Every structure is written in C-alpha cells, then in structure tokens.
Amino acid sequence: MPYMLISTQIRLESGPTNVGDEFSDPAVMSYLGARKTTILGNNFSEYHVDDPPRLVLDKLEEIGFHVVSVTGVGQTLVWCLHKEKE
C-alpha cells in the first residue's frame, strides 16, 4: 500500500490523529500503535492514535513514507504520504 492519508482537526493539532481506514495496512497501523474504532452511525472504521501529527509523520518517515502534499479542508488538516514499493 504505497499511499496513506493522515488527518487531524486544526483545533486538535496536539492529537488525536486519524491515521487510516478499515483497508489500511495492519502492520503499519500496529507500528503506529493505532486503535480501530467505528463511530456510532458510521458504516466504516477508522484508525486513530493519541499522538500529534508531527510525531506520526516522524514515525512514518522512519519506515520510508514521504509527504506528497498537505491541505486544509474546513477545520481539518490532511497529509498525503507515499512509500516506494520494495
């Protein structure tokens, strides 16, 4: 899985950070210490960590991910990362 999105609410930039969806690589989610949750009313699951985005980005860089783009969507910050296939 070479692409990944992480996000956080602007007012919560100290965490938690959304690090994946139900189709994310379980090994990467485990490495990040992410927990899988389903919010009442949603028909999908998401992975979250309590770490701020900066720490998550540092951890992902250690395993080969690089930031491709960053954008703001309403009150949310979103980072797109890529990892070259091995």
Side-chain angles (χ1 to χ4, degrees):
M1 182 166 106
Y3 285 94
M4 181 171 189
L5 294 176
I6 70 166
S7 64
T8 192
Q9 296 294 312
I10 291 173
R11 60 183 165 62
L12 300 174
E13 58 189 30
S14 61
T17 304
N18 180 335
V19 294
D21 61 19
E22 57 198 343
F23 304 108
S24 297
D25 183 344
V28 175
M29 297 299 107
S30 177
Y31 171 75
L32 293 173
R35 63 191 179 284
K36 189 176 183 180
T37 59
T38 304
I39 297 173
L40 184 63
N42 288 349
N43 63 352
F44 58 91
S45 299
E46 298 175 306
Y47 283 95
H48 296 88
V49 296
D50 290 328
D51 296 331
R54 183 184 57 80
L55 292 180
V56 174
L57 291 167
D58 288 347
K59 288 179 182 179
L60 290 170
E61 183 179 44
E62 289 176 6
I63 59 171
F65 282 91
H66 301 282
V67 174
V68 175
S69 65
V70 182
T71 191
V73 181
Q75 294 295 310
T76 303
L77 288 172
V78 181
W79 291 262
C80 177
L81 296 97
H82 182 262
K83 179 179 180 178
E84 294 294 327
K85 289 188 178 184
E86 298 172 356

